[in-house]
Amino acid sequence: MINIELNKEKQYLQIVYEKLLQTEKELTDILKTTRSEGLSTLKDMSGDVRLDFSNVSDNLDTFSVLEMKNREIDQMNIKMKTADLSLQKVKRLLETPYFGKINVDFLDEEPEEAFYIGINNFADKEGNNLVYDWRSPISELFYNNVIGSSFYMANRQRIDVAIKGRRQFIIEKNTLLNYFDTSIAIQDDVLLEALEQDSTKQMKDITSTIQQEQNRIIRDMKNSNILVNGVAGSGKTSTIMQRIAYLLYSLRQEITSDNILILSPNNKFIDYLSKVLPSLGERNPLNMTLLQLVEHYLSLPLENEESYFSRISQEAVNSQTNVLRSLNFIEHLKKADRLLLSVTSFFKDITHNNKVIISKEKIIEIYQSTPDHASMLHKVQATKKQLSRYWEKRIRIQAKNRSTQNQILSLSEELQQKYFGELITDDSEESVFKYGKKLLTKKYHRVTKSIDSTTWIDTKVLFDLLYFDYQKESYIHSKEHLNLDEAIIWLTIQNTFIEKIEWPQMRFVLIDEVQDYTPAQVSLLSDLFAKSDFTMVGDENQAIFNSAITFQKINEIFETHQKQVQPYDLLNSYRSSGAITKLFSQLANSKQQMEISAVRPKGNDPQFFEMGNNQNSMNLFSLLLNQLKEERLTIITKTEMEAEMLRALLEDTPNIDVLPISLSKGLEFDNVLLYNVSDDHYSTERDQKILYTAISRGMKNLFITYECKLSRLLTI
């Protein structure tokens, strides 16, 4: 029976693979032929099409021919684009045509049907689906449900079915390496490898839980805002990327990648993610750090990424920074209209070449003449409109001035071409007025820009007023650039009191490592993307920076914006070996310690080494490299200073990477060495989170060094 099933699966794989190869050839030929036809059409346009504009009739004929040729080119471009997209999908499927199969009884008199699940859809020439996209409605049966009665949703209709069988494959090109019949869904090759080594019921149940909990998040279309608290190695980031791919597939008539924003923790992580979505057949959406997003709006110098991570990695935070980050300060700030409407010290002159063009006194006069609105934002916007009219009137008056008109008429032909793009052929008063207005508008374009960008409001004064009103003491500014915490308040002030910040409409905003954001940052993002749906993932155990936020606080912030958040927990870790998972689980918060489950087998126990001087360290590194043969070793340090010292020490040593924990967070490595996990170096609650994060970077082998005494946080 087993051999019969194996032969059936092998035959089906060969059928699918041969049709994929045939389709690949056909699409390649189409692209080649269409390109050739396109070049021929272009030659026709430049050669055979005679451009005759001698009379109206000939004009119309010529335009008609050109329009016809342009339509031909447009059709060819569409044909090529469609063929190219299809070809890319086929090439992906040629690597692994499919990975799963479900047998479904539709509860009618027809026999049960088999559905093969892959990374993309593939149909033959007759329109028969040979492989179904993992995001299609029918595929949900593969991921979510056990054998037996079930249902799925298609076109908002519930379809009741019975799942008769579920099968998982390991396939490379046209070779079936292995398959498993299981009552639960598996999906990931890593899990399959684990299953091969341990086929116990417990392992299968763990695998089932992983698929159910991840897939619920990926396919959740009911909840606008989702907050995922996932332990290290639980697949948080891959869940985000699969969710994006699923949304782009399910809502393909409504959105594109342009409607999605990913906020990543650092630039290294952006590079890390850049290849994921293309491998799923989707174009990467906008992916940036919070620093980059803020810098886009800020007209002032902002700290760089290195400076930012150095600052948030420090143990202590000054009291000023704590105030700026707090939700209490943000809420106080947003209710400060009455305070700000009673003062005018935040206005400043509009200048041009160091000369005052519109004085702050004039601006205050206009401001005070506007209606007494309930909010300062409306009053400022009314002032801006009045100021624009006032400036436009001044330009018109100046353009009618006799001296301005004489100046226009005395311009050389060269200057006329420079300023107006044409020569002045009409010297009537109306015409000269038009040219004068154009010249003055160009000359004073910075004044117009200043009015539009509200630079006549001094944000620093507003900042100081608001801080003093809340804290009853003055804020001490840095002499250099703004740090991110200051910049967040800057933009919150801008968005609340001056002018709403415009950003291209994003349907979905996805935030990774959300536990590293401050309440002020989360509040600003919720304001900026008020109409967007949020998917936020993180791990409270990895809140290693001094900027950390609790998930309860995130919920509170969204509630103040009248938004509900659906929480999810991911408690199964399948990145690290069982032994490594057991070690970092000891460092999780007490609620999760007993709930974290390791999916991979136990593997090698972590090794501990007491170290002395640098020479001892070098000897150990050399010993471990020999033990690992040609595999790389990643050394993770607590601080950037330690990382720099080790990089200098290991400058000429191959196969070793050195990273501080701030930059290794979110990444994973086969072989990890934690440097200097000594009792005097790791002892606080924050150190516990750093240690949890660092240990969980390792997948296969973990080495830990210490001096004198191992950290009390570890029990071995």
Side-chain angles (χ1 to χ4, degrees):
M1 182 66 179
I2 293 175
N3 287 336
I4 293 174
E5 281 298 304
L6 180 62
N7 288 334
K8 280 184 180 178
E9 294 297 0
K10 284 184 175 180
Q11 287 172 12
Y12 188 80
L13 176 59
Q14 291 308 313
I15 290 170
V16 173
Y17 200 80
E18 286 171 11
K19 291 193 174 185
L20 282 167
L21 287 174
Q22 181 183 349
T23 304
E24 181 189 35
K25 182 180 184 305
E26 290 171 356
L27 290 169
T28 302
D29 290 344
I30 287 172
L31 284 169
K32 185 177 179 181
T33 303
T34 308
R35 284 193 185 97
S36 176
E37 290 173 356
L39 289 172
S40 176
T41 300
L42 287 173
K43 285 180 181 178
D44 287 347
M45 286 186 70
S46 60
D48 295 342
V49 177
R50 298 291 180 258
L51 302 182
D52 189 347
F53 298 101
S54 56
N55 57 56
V56 173
S57 176
D58 289 333
N59 284 357
L60 293 174
D61 289 342
T62 301
F63 286 138
S64 177
V65 172
L66 286 173
E67 186 178 352
M68 182 180 67
K69 291 295 181 181
N70 282 329
R71 280 201 300 269
E72 286 180 27
I73 292 172
D74 287 341
Q75 290 300 317
M76 287 177 188
N77 285 335
I78 292 170
K79 187 177 180 181
M80 286 179 66
K81 184 177 180 180
T82 303
D84 188 55
L85 287 172
S86 298
L87 181 59
Q88 296 310 312
K89 289 181 179 180
V90 167
K91 285 183 175 180
R92 280 190 294 273
L93 289 175
L94 282 169
E95 295 300 312
T96 304
Y98 46 84
F99 52 74
K101 170 188 173 184
I102 44 172
N103 289 79
V104 181
D105 181 353
F106 285 91
L107 308 179
D108 51 23
E109 295 180 358
E110 298 297 320
E112 65 186 55
E113 294 183 44
F115 297 87
Y116 287 81
I117 314 299
I119 198 168
N120 287 121
N121 188 74
F122 177 64
D124 61 18
K125 290 181 179 178
E126 289 73 37
N128 301 310
N129 270 330
L130 303 178
V131 181
Y132 286 80
D133 193 297
W134 67 275
R135 299 164 291 186
S136 64
I138 192 74
S139 297
E140 186 167 2
L141 296 173
F142 176 78
Y143 288 100
N144 262 1
N145 301 287
V146 295
I147 297 295
S149 297
S150 188
F151 72 92
Y152 68 97
M153 303 297 294
N155 297 322
R156 299 183 180 179
Q157 298 294 317
R158 173 178 169 135
I159 301 174
D160 291 300
V161 299
I163 300 175
K164 295 296 186 179
R166 179 183 281 104
R167 182 166 287 175
Q168 179 84 26
F169 303 97
I170 301 180
I171 294 173
E172 286 184 7
K173 298 185 184 299
N174 62 340
T175 303
L176 176 58
L177 300 177
N178 211 339
Y179 75 86
F180 305 89
D181 286 325
T182 173
S183 62
I184 43 77
I186 301 172
Q187 184 192 3
D188 200 287
D189 288 348
V190 173
L191 301 175
L192 283 172
E193 292 169 6
L195 193 57
E196 284 183 287
Q197 298 174 44
D198 184 354
S199 59
T200 65
K201 183 177 183 298
Q202 181 186 9
M203 174 63 75
K204 290 183 180 179
D205 288 344
I206 290 169
T207 306
S208 171
T209 305
I210 284 173
Q211 291 313 301
Q212 287 175 358
E213 64 182 6
Q214 288 185 341
N215 202 54
R216 279 200 302 270
I217 298 165
I218 292 166
R219 294 174 183 260
D220 187 343
M221 302 291 280
K222 293 180 181 178
N223 297 292
S224 298
N225 303 294
I226 292 170
L227 178 59
V228 181
N229 191 11
V231 301
S234 58
K236 297 183 296 295
T237 301
S238 62
T239 299
I240 270 191
M241 303 311 284
Q242 288 170 323
R243 178 163 171 76
I244 291 172
Y246 179 76
L247 292 170
L248 288 170
Y249 176 88
S250 302
L251 303 173
R252 54 191 177 278
Q253 304 300 326
E254 302 174 32
I255 65 169
T256 68
S257 293
D258 295 332
N259 304 118
I260 295 176
L261 169 66
I262 304 174
L263 288 175
S264 286
N266 54 56
N267 280 310
K268 192 176 184 71
F269 210 69
I270 291 174
D271 296 338
Y272 177 73
L273 292 181
S274 63
K275 301 178 183 64
V276 177
L277 273 177
S279 73
L280 294 173
E282 300 292 352
R283 184 166 57 88
N284 277 320
L286 180 61
N287 189 355
M288 63 200 312
T289 66
L290 182 62
L291 265 171
Q292 290 169 336
L293 185 144
V294 169
E295 194 171 31
H296 176 79
Y297 289 117
L298 209 62
S299 57
L300 299 170
L302 181 65
E303 67 181 334
N304 58 31
E305 186 171 283
E306 183 181 355
S307 170
Y308 171 66
F309 277 110
S310 174
R311 189 170 60 83
I312 66 173
S313 297
Q314 294 168 9
E315 290 283 348
V317 183
N318 66 50
S319 59
Q320 289 194 153
T321 299
N322 275 331
V323 170
L324 300 187
R325 291 175 175 177
S326 71
L327 189 57
N328 285 340
F329 178 60
I330 296 298
E331 290 175 346
H332 178 83
L333 180 154
K334 290 181 178 180
K335 296 173 182 176
D337 275 299
R338 182 173 296 180
L339 166 71
L340 299 182
L341 286 168
S342 66
V343 296
T344 56
S345 56
F346 50 83
F347 290 110
K348 57 182 182 178
D349 300 327
I350 296 177
T351 62
H352 183 264
N353 293 334
N354 297 320
K355 180 183 177 183
V356 175
I357 302 298
I358 305 177
S359 70
K360 62 184 176 184
E361 288 78 17
K362 182 61 182 177
I363 298 173
I364 292 170
E365 179 189 326
I366 294 173
Y367 174 75
Q368 291 178 333
S369 71
T370 59
D372 290 328
H373 293 282
S375 73
M376 180 180 168
L377 176 67
H378 291 140
K379 197 167 178 66
V380 167
Q381 287 302 300
T383 303
K384 178 179 171 180
K385 288 180 182 178
Q386 294 273 31
L387 202 51
S388 294
R389 294 192 194 104
Y390 167 76
W391 177 240
E392 176 69 19
K393 183 179 179 181
R394 279 185 56 178
I395 289 286
R396 287 200 305 270
I397 291 170
Q398 184 65 25
K400 288 181 179 179
N401 187 284
R402 179 59 59 187
S403 62
T404 301
Q405 295 192 347
N406 289 338
Q407 184 182 352
I408 296 297
L409 293 172
S410 63
L411 288 173
S412 65
E413 290 187 352
E414 183 182 353
L415 289 176
Q416 289 176 36
Q417 285 285 359
K418 178 182 176 181
Y419 294 143
F420 312 125
E422 62 184 9
L423 296 178
I424 299 173
T425 55
D426 179 4
D427 60 357
S428 67
E429 185 175 337
E430 184 180 347
S431 174
V432 175
F433 166 73
K434 181 187 73 173
Y435 285 115
K437 187 179 174 185
K438 189 172 184 178
L439 179 63
L440 290 170
T441 300
K442 277 190 174 183
K443 180 179 178 181
Y444 292 102
H445 72 278
R446 289 182 182 174
V447 174
T448 304
K449 185 178 179 182
S450 291
I451 294 171
D452 290 340
S453 57
T454 61
T455 58
W456 37 277
I457 291 182
D458 193 329
T459 309
K460 181 177 179 294
V461 173
L462 288 175
F463 184 109
D464 291 342
L465 282 168
L466 291 163
Y467 185 87
F468 186 85
D469 184 61
Y470 178 81
Q471 197 66 3
K472 306 309 178 198
E473 63 181 28
S474 298
Y475 187 85
I476 301 172
H477 291 270
S478 167
K479 293 180 181 178
E480 301 175 1
H481 45 244
L482 290 179
N483 64 46
L484 182 59
D485 294 302
E486 293 167 335
I488 291 293
I489 302 303
W490 228 261
L491 293 183
T492 301
I493 291 171
Q494 170 76 20
N495 194 60
T496 306
F497 301 115
I498 303 174
E499 190 163 36
K500 289 293 181 183
I501 294 172
E502 295 293 331
W503 182 270
Q505 183 60 47
M506 293 294 166
R507 176 75 179 273
F508 296 97
V509 176
L510 299 101
I511 305 176
D512 204 355
E513 304 287 349
V514 70
Q515 77 281 344
D516 295 333
Y517 285 63
T518 69
Q521 291 166 3
V522 174
S523 180
L524 177 63
L525 290 172
S526 187
D527 285 338
L528 292 183
F529 303 102
K531 296 181 180 179
S532 303
D533 292 350
F534 281 76
T535 298
M536 301 164 282
V537 305
D539 180 359
E540 288 189 294
N541 293 305
Q542 294 188 60
I544 67 173
F545 299 124
N546 61 42
S547 58
I549 188 174
T550 65
F551 281 35
Q552 181 181 348
K553 185 65 72 175
I554 294 173
N555 269 305
E556 288 176 17
I557 292 167
F558 274 77
E559 284 174 4
T560 62
H561 290 79
Q562 286 76 53
K563 296 179 179 180
Q564 295 298 312
V565 176
Q566 173 63 41
Y568 284 101
D569 288 327
L570 295 176
L571 295 170
N572 300 279
S573 178
Y574 60 96
R575 171 195 294 147
S576 306
S577 67
I580 295 175
T581 302
K582 181 181 177 182
L583 187 62
F584 75 69
S585 295
Q586 298 173 12
L587 300 162
N589 66 56
S590 56
K591 176 187 172 184
Q592 291 183 328
Q593 279 182 10
M594 301 300 294
E595 298 178 354
I596 297 177
S597 300
V599 172
R600 301 187 70 180
K602 182 182 182 224
N604 298 325
D605 286 325
Q607 298 180 48
F608 299 83
F609 301 92
E610 183 178 356
M611 303 305 301
N613 53 37
N614 285 341
Q615 186 57 51
N616 287 341
S617 296
M618 290 297 292
N619 291 338
L620 174 64
F621 299 153
S622 179
L623 178 70
L624 294 177
L625 285 173
N626 287 333
Q627 179 181 322
L628 296 171
K629 298 181 179 177
E630 294 187 3
E631 292 188 33
R632 297 193 76 80
L633 175 66
T634 301
I635 300 175
I636 297 178
T637 65
K638 182 180 178 183
T639 67
E640 176 63 40
M641 189 179 298
E642 287 175 321
E644 288 177 2
M645 181 271 291
L646 284 176
R647 288 191 198 107
L649 194 66
L650 297 165
E651 189 175 7
D652 299 320
T653 307
N655 287 336
I656 289 189
D657 300 307
V658 182
L659 289 172
I661 185 61
S662 59
L663 293 183
S664 59
K665 197 161 169 287
L667 304 179
E668 56 190 32
F669 313 96
D670 282 341
N671 310 294
V672 167
L673 183 144
L674 304 191
Y675 179 77
N676 191 18
V677 186
S678 306
D679 195 46
D680 60 351
H681 202 37
Y682 285 86
S683 58
T684 67
E685 184 180 342
R686 180 165 171 262
D687 290 339
Q688 181 173 327
K689 293 179 177 179
I690 292 174
L691 203 50
Y692 168 99
T693 307
I695 291 172
S696 60
R697 299 310 94 201
M699 297 172 65
K700 291 163 55 177
N701 292 296
L702 178 68
F703 313 103
I704 296 177
T705 70
Y706 63 94
E707 296 175 8
C708 299
K709 184 181 177 183
L710 181 66
S711 169
R712 71 195 76 170
L713 299 172
L714 290 177
T715 56
I716 57 173

